[in-house]
Amino acid sequence: GESVGLHLPTLSVQEGDNSIINCAYSNSASDYFIWYKQESGKGPQFIIDIRSNMDKRQGQRVTVLLNKTVKHLSLQIAATQPGDSAVYFCAESNTGTASKLTFGTGTRLQVTL
Amino acid sequence: DAGVIQSPRHEVTEMGQEVTLRCKPISGHNSLFWYRQTMMRGLELLIYFNNNVPIDDSGMPEDRFSAKMPNASFSTLKIQPSEPRDSAVYFCASSLGLAGEFFGPGTRLTVL
């Protein structure tokens, strides 16, 4: 049959607004989560991580929220800038399996001027 | 620190040829990962090493793929013989313990 490429969900945000990117994970045993940013032609870049004993962690302009009850992770970017345009991946792992990460399919963030 | 170093950055080869991708992890990191990224399948973990020992190679597509890590500062991913469906961007990443993985710039492989 015909193969279909991955269809990345796209989030369009106006410059200066806040962005929220969501991720649902599947493994209830996952206890470590990371958000990555991948710009065109580059490798994924570590943004922020969170462990399962926390439900919120803040970095510079970014906040990660973890809801273990519904297995949901979100990345909030404050005052979104054109340089934030990229594909964002969440990744999860069970640290009992020697730090092996499982990546989501990604969300494309487009920042409009 | 220079980060994870990969070579070559681009490789174009003909079907049937052997391809060797190289990676130098970040100094001090004890885990190394090889990933493949395509539009069709996204980012896939092929194999990872911990303290130079292969831990999980279940992502390696078939026997044509092999990976080695002879020492803490060098790893190779070899494809022999290469096929057009191997065309992808191959990333190497390294980490220290439970820290997040740091990715290299990738090698874009095109097999004609």
Side-chain angles (χ1 to χ4, degrees), chain A residues 3 6 36 38 43 97 100, chain B residues 37 39-40 42 48 56 91 101:
Chain A
S3 296
L6 284 178
Y36 286 90
Q38 186 175 22
T97 59
K100 176 179 176 178
Chain B
Q37 187 174 42
M39 288 296 294
M40 302 295 288
Y48 77 99
D56 185 347
F91 289 105
E101 295 170 14

Side-chain angles (χ1 to χ4, degrees), chain A residues 54-67:
Chain A
M54 303 173 68
D55 54 18
K56 180 179 180 179
R57 190 165 187 224
Q58 288 184 294
Q60 187 176 11
R61 280 200 310 118
V62 295
T63 301
V64 56
L65 299 178
L66 175 63
N67 185 330

Side-chain angles (χ1 to χ4, degrees), chain A residues 3-6 32 34 36 38 41-44 46 51 89 95 97-101 103, chain B residues 31 33 35 37 39-43 45 48 56 58 91 97-101 103-105:
Chain A
S3 296
V4 179
L6 284 178
Y32 181 58
I34 304 176
Y36 286 90
Q38 186 175 22
K42 298 183 178 180
F46 176 97
R51 301 189 190 282
F89 294 94
T95 55
T97 59
S99 72
K100 176 179 176 178
L101 286 174
F103 284 78
Chain B
S31 294
F33 307 79
Y35 289 88
Q37 187 174 42
M39 288 296 294
M40 302 295 288
R41 295 183 297 273
L43 195 61
L45 176 65
Y48 77 99
D56 185 347
S58 60
F91 289 105
L98 300 178
E101 295 170 14
F103 282 74

Side-chain angles (χ1 to χ4, degrees), chain A residues 77-112:
Chain A
I77 304 173
T80 311
Q81 303 170 358
D84 296 326
S85 294
V87 176
Y88 290 80
F89 294 94
C90 65
E92 59 178 301
S93 76
N94 179 340
T95 55
T97 59
S99 72
K100 176 179 176 178
L101 286 174
T102 301
F103 284 78
T105 55
T107 297
R108 185 178 305 280
L109 176 65
Q110 292 181 337
V111 181
T112 58

Side-chain angles (χ1 to χ4, degrees), chain B residues 2 5 8 11 13-14 23 27 36 45 48 58 62 75-76 78-80 82 88 92 98-99 109 112:
Chain B
I5 299 173
E11 176 81 23
T13 190
E14 292 186 344
C23 176
S27 178
R36 176 172 68 178
L45 176 65
Y48 77 99
S58 60
E62 48 198 271
S75 177
T76 59
K78 185 176 293 187
I79 308 172
Q80 167 62 20
S82 58
C92 176
L98 300 178
L109 173 64
L112 303 175

